[in-house]
Every structure is written in structure tokens, then in C-alpha cells.
Amino acid sequence: MSRFKRGVPDDRKIWSATAVVNEQYHPTLKRVHRSFLEAGSDAVTTNSYGITPGVGFSPDDIGRYVAVAGRLARESVDDGDTDSVVDDDDDAITAQRRPGKFVCGSLGPLVESYRPDRVMDHPKGVDMYGVMARALAPHVDCFLAETMSSVEEASQAVEAVGKLSTKEKYAMMVSFTLKGDGAIRSGELSTDGVRRIVQISRDCGVNLLGVMFNCAEPEAITKAFETIRSDKPTCELLLEERVMLGAYANRLTAIASDWSLDGSEEPQAMRSDLSPQEYFHRFIRVW
């Protein structure tokens, strides 16, 4: 079995969840989180993306390991000096936050990345995202539904977060993955995705901070942004609701529409034509 750069095995079944499931890699995971902060990041994302039913985790295991991922990220941000308080109303544990640094709670696809054809039925998806969201809530400042391949998939995560509390509007960002033409993997236009997820978040009582695009080629993200910026009603809606746009692209080669983790024998190949400097000058500056 191959290993990632810092020595964690590249398990083709549970992928990065290996660093959460195996306690021996917890110090490595915390060092990775801290490396982002040391490089100037204001936030880290929990390593909970791969802890899903799609790779064989039971609901009990998901709740347990997702909570571990949240705790490790919180400790990384707070240098391990986190105190906790208990809310008498719902027994929810809330960490004392270190000012200026944030933890985003990752809610990834439940079954398979990049596959709108494999999204769970709505009620089951909402229930499962609920397990994950409850486990993350004590540790995170904001939820991040990422690599969503359809509005339906994203709506399940948003609804689950909205059900966490009737008294508090949780902060959340939603990030879609795209096809090469700039449309969401399901074929929905980026403008349609933005408008619908803003409305769904409003209906569910979620404080939507941003709509983003990730796990896609930067060229596709540029096309999605162009589509949005040329659509006046979508731009006006984003301004009215104070919802930001954002992106974090793949440096990977194009992902096939029938891709699956268990069917991939090795990591997706990296592009050779996109250095960090080129990524900044060709894309980030333009976005």
C-alpha cells in the first residue's frame, strides 16, 4: 500500500479517514492542520470527508469518528488548550474559541464523490448528515458541505444542519463540484444551483455564508463564475442575502463521470501544467 507524503497509508477504501480511525496518526493529522495555519490560513477543515456509509462505516462509527475528527481540528486551532462548556438546555458541548482562527466541519458525499447518480434518498440522506452534523457541532464554527454533485445532495446536508437547533441558525457554506463545461455534475447550471441553495438554506433556517466550487478543474470554475456574473438576478440575490462566492480547485487531471474510489487503484494523476504560481496568476487573480 502506498503512503501519503507524511506517512499515512493511502487506503483506497476509506482514504484520508485512515488518519482518524487509527490513533497513531492523530499527531500527524494535527500537524497537517497546523501547517495550514502556519502558512497563513484563517481556517482548517475537519478530516471527516471520508467517514461515510458509502465506504462501510456504520452510523455509530460515523458519529464516533466524525467527533474525533472535529476534536482534532479544534485542538489544532486552539493549541490543545480548549475548555468546554455544557449548554443546560440540550447538553451540547461548545468549545471556547480562539479568536481569528476557525474550524469548518466537512460534510462530504455520503456514497461517492462526483456521482449525482449515487446520491442517497432524501430522508435517509438527511438522517445520515444529521449524525455527522451533531458529532461536529461542538467543535466547529461553520459547516462545509463540499464536493456536492447536485442540489439534491447539498439540500440534504443543509436540511440536516437546519434541524440541529430551533434556537440557533448555524453558519454553513455549500460547495459544488463541476463538469468541464462549468455546470454542476448533475447538469444543473451554476446559477440554478446558487439560487436554489440560497432558498433552501433560508427555508431550513441555516445561515448560508457562501456558495463555492471545489474538486473541479480551475477552468471549469472560471466558466461557472462567468455564468453567475452574467446573470443579474443571481448576482442581486447574492448581494441581498450577503452570500459570498468562493472556490478551491483541483490540481488533478480531469475526473471521469463514472469515477469511483473503490475502482481506483492509485491516486488520480496530477496536472503538470499548473504550478501554484500559475494557479494564482491564471485563475485566483481572475476570480
Side-chain angles (χ1 to χ4, degrees), residues 47-277:
N47 187 30
S48 48
Y49 183 95
I51 306 171
T52 66
V55 297
F57 286 103
S58 69
D60 287 345
D61 284 343
I62 289 171
R64 179 168 68 256
Y65 289 129
V66 167
V68 170
R71 174 178 59 80
L72 292 173
R74 185 83 258 164
E75 290 175 355
S76 301
V77 167
D78 295 338
D79 293 327
D81 296 325
T82 302
D83 296 321
S84 296
V85 295
V86 177
D87 187 317
D88 293 333
D89 292 330
D90 57 10
D91 293 330
I93 299 175
T94 304
Q96 300 293 324
R97 305 306 193 212
R98 177 182 175 187
K101 302 297 179 182
F102 306 96
V103 175
C104 299
S106 176
L107 301 171
L110 296 173
V111 180
E112 189 72 83
S113 299
Y114 311 113
R115 297 294 295 270
D117 57 322
R118 294 190 179 183
V119 173
M120 274 192 173
D121 290 340
H122 192 86
K124 291 182 179 178
V126 173
D127 287 346
M128 191 55 60
Y129 277 124
V131 171
M132 300 171 73
R134 286 190 294 274
L136 287 171
H139 309 288
V140 305
D141 302 290
C142 174
F143 289 96
L144 171 60
E146 55 182 339
T147 323
M148 299 286 99
S149 63
S150 67
V151 173
E152 167 57 30
E153 187 168 44
S155 73
Q156 296 176 12
V158 171
E159 186 174 331
V161 170
K163 287 183 174 181
L164 286 177
S165 174
T166 58
K167 298 179 295 183
E168 179 179 358
K169 290 182 70 171
Y170 281 90
M172 188 169 190
M173 297 182 286
V174 173
S175 191
F176 292 103
T177 182
L178 304 170
K179 300 192 299 178
D181 62 2
I184 299 170
R185 283 265 171 172
S186 58
E188 296 160 294
L189 295 178
S190 58
T191 45
D192 293 338
V194 167
R195 289 195 297 266
R196 289 182 60 196
I197 210 63
V198 168
Q199 182 62 54
I200 291 166
S201 299
R202 184 192 298 150
D203 293 344
C204 291
V206 168
N207 179 18
L208 184 66
L209 302 181
V211 178
M212 303 191 292
F213 304 105
N214 77 293
C215 278
E217 298 156 84
E219 292 88 350
I221 292 174
T222 296
K223 293 174 183 177
F225 281 152
E226 290 172 347
T227 300
I228 291 169
R229 287 170 179 148
S230 65
D231 188 85
K232 185 176 180 180
T234 301
C235 292
E236 290 176 342
L237 177 65
L238 290 170
L239 287 171
E240 178 185 343
E241 297 292 330
R242 303 181 70 180
V243 175
M244 298 179 291
L245 288 176
Y248 47 112
N250 264 353
R251 193 187 169 194
L252 303 175
T253 52
I255 306 292
S257 60
D258 60 350
W259 183 91
S260 66
L261 180 61
D262 60 4
S264 60
E265 297 180 356
E266 58 186 20
Q268 186 78 7
M270 291 283 187
R271 290 173 57 166
S272 60
D273 63 341
L274 193 63
S275 68
Q277 293 77 18

